[in-house]
């Protein structure tokens, strides 16, 4: 089954000198992953210096994985062999430059988180409380619309979330987020936010971070399925997908430890009564359609 994962931090892992772990060519193949979104990530507290160059160094490490980058228009049909697309986690990587956004788009970046975990020039993250997008953040959303880069609202606070949903002409994605009704963590989306994404025709990839799946942090494959099922019960089959956050989380849920384990997730969903077509949509169809829609609607 075609699988697409909306978020991993594997390039950061490689930059640190560690060998491939949960995400490698081998695990991607065994898990049926045809499309993996690799994040360019800094993680420092803004303002940053040298962030653009660090992101470029991470991008230069992608060939070490043996996963080819799709930097042009996506093919009509999903790739059967592991392929890569790029995202940016935290717009502070741009160092305040809209020209840098255009440069990264030419290099293959297709979506970007406005914030990570620290307030930046664009807005305020969920872990830092209330606050709207800044004037620069609003300009950045417009520039992303023009460049064909999808706005990723994972990590962003709720005030910023609704402003993005109002301003974006492209599909809005929450690449690696969970449901707050299942686990009361500020990084998770409320039912109102999830319904907003559903109404807007966005995308939501379920994060595998145990702290976002269960309040006691002792998560398993069944907890991932519980979050999927909650969003589905809200009417979200058409926006659901996977946003593992592999290599960006210190622990993984029992039963889905790396990218080779995705088939176990589909088997569990099947036992829960999910139809094959719905499982295929969650596995990768929804994300691939969203990425295709974003490039088609580019202004």
């Amino acid at each position: 089954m075609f699988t697409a994962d909306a978020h991993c931090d594997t390039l950061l892992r490689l930059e640190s000198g560690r060998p491939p772990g949960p995400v490698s060519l081998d695990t991607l193949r065994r898990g049926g992953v045809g499309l993996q979104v690799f994040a360019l990530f800094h993680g420092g507290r803004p303002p940053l210096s040298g962030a653009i160059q660090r992101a470029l160094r991470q991008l230069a490490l992608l060939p070490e994985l043996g996963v080819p980058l799709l930097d042009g228009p996506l093919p009509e049909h999903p790739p059967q062999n592991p392929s890569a697309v790029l995202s940016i986690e935290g717009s502070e990587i741009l160092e305040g430059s809209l020209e840098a956004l255009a440069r990264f788009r030419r290099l293959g970046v297709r979506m970007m988180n406005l914030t990570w975990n620290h307030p930046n020039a664009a807005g305020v993250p969920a872990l830092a409380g209330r606050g709207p997008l800044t004037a620069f953040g609003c300009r950045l959303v417009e520039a992303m619309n023009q460049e064909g880069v999808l706005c990723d609202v994972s990590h962003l606070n709720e005030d910023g979330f609704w402003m993005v949903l109002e301003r974006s002409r492209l599909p809005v994605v929450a690449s690696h987020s969970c449901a707050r009704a299942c686990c009361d963590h500020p990084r998770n989306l409320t039912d109102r936010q999830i319904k907003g994404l559903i109404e807007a025709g966005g995308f939501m990839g379920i994060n595998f971070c145990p702290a976002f799946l269960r309040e006691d942090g002792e998560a398993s494959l069944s907890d991932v399925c519980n979050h999927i099922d909650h969003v589905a019960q809200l009417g979200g089959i058409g926006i659901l997908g996977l946003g593992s956050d592999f290599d960006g989380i210190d622990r993984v849920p029992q039963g889905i430890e790396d990218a080779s384990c995705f088939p176990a997730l589909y088997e569990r969903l099947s036992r829960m009564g999910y139809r094959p077509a719905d499982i295929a949509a969650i596995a990768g169809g929804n994300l691939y359609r969203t990425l295709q829609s974003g490039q088609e609607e580019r202004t």
Side-chain angles (χ1 to χ4, degrees):
M1 182 178 297
F2 169 72
T3 295
D5 179 10
H7 188 84
C8 76
D9 286 297
T10 304
L11 297 181
L12 179 69
R13 180 189 181 100
L14 295 181
E15 187 195 20
S16 71
R18 293 184 293 165
V23 176
S24 66
L25 182 58
D26 177 61
T27 59
L28 292 172
R29 282 174 172 166
R30 289 191 286 128
V33 180
L35 192 75
Q36 176 65 60
V37 180
F38 290 89
L40 305 175
F41 175 66
H42 189 286
R45 186 178 295 275
L48 302 178
S49 176
I52 293 173
Q53 290 305 312
R54 184 176 185 185
L56 294 175
R57 289 197 302 270
Q58 291 177 2
L59 176 55
L61 294 171
L62 181 60
E64 292 187 11
L65 288 170
V67 181
L69 175 64
L70 300 179
D71 55 0
L74 294 177
E76 179 181 356
H77 300 292
Q80 297 305 304
N81 295 312
S83 300
V85 298
L86 298 174
S87 68
I88 289 176
E89 185 166 25
S91 64
E92 56 267 19
I93 280 180
L94 302 179
E95 298 183 54
S97 168
L98 297 182
E99 290 76 14
L101 173 67
R103 179 184 183 186
F104 279 115
R105 179 64 187 93
R106 291 192 296 271
L107 292 171
V109 168
R110 298 177 188 270
M111 56 190 189
M112 181 172 69
N113 294 90
L114 296 187
T115 66
W116 183 57
N117 284 342
H118 305 299
N120 63 15
V124 181
L127 297 183
R130 300 290 303 273
L133 295 183
T134 65
F136 175 76
C138 293
R139 292 198 302 274
L140 184 56
V141 172
E142 178 58 30
M144 292 171 72
N145 283 328
Q146 294 173 353
E147 293 292 339
V149 177
L150 305 184
C151 288
D152 189 342
V153 293
S154 287
H155 286 284
L156 189 61
N157 71 357
E158 189 165 356
D159 296 322
F161 172 96
W162 292 111
M163 291 181 71
V164 169
L165 216 61
E166 178 183 352
R167 286 166 168 76
S168 181
R169 300 189 298 275
L170 301 178
V172 173
V173 302
S175 65
H176 55 303
S177 294
C178 292
R180 195 174 302 184
C182 298
C183 178
D184 189 13
H185 191 287
R187 268 281 278 109
N188 291 345
L189 301 184
T190 66
D191 283 0
R192 181 168 174 259
Q193 289 175 291
I194 295 169
K195 290 176 182 178
L197 280 178
I198 294 170
E199 293 172 4
F203 172 82
M204 180 178 178
I206 299 300
N207 194 319
F208 295 174
C209 177
F212 302 163
L213 293 168
R214 284 177 62 106
E215 292 177 19
D216 63 7
E218 300 298 324
S220 67
L221 176 60
S222 64
D223 296 297
V224 176
C225 292
N226 287 343
H227 282 258
I228 289 174
D229 192 56
H230 180 78
V231 177
Q233 295 302 321
L234 293 175
I237 284 288
I239 72 163
L240 267 166
L242 310 170
S244 70
D245 209 358
F246 282 141
D247 287 317
I249 50 181
D250 296 329
R251 301 173 62 202
V252 293
Q254 182 180 0
I256 190 160
E257 292 85 3
D258 60 42
S260 72
C261 300
F262 287 120
L265 172 63
Y266 310 145
E267 181 181 353
R268 176 68 64 92
L269 291 175
S270 179
R271 294 202 304 267
M272 292 171 63
Y274 280 78
R275 301 177 303 169
D278 291 337
I279 295 174
I282 295 167
N286 287 337
L287 176 57
Y288 200 73
R289 186 191 69 249
T290 300
L291 290 171
Q292 285 183 317
S293 175
Q295 69 186 18
E296 290 168 0
E297 295 178 22
R298 182 177 177 182
T299 57

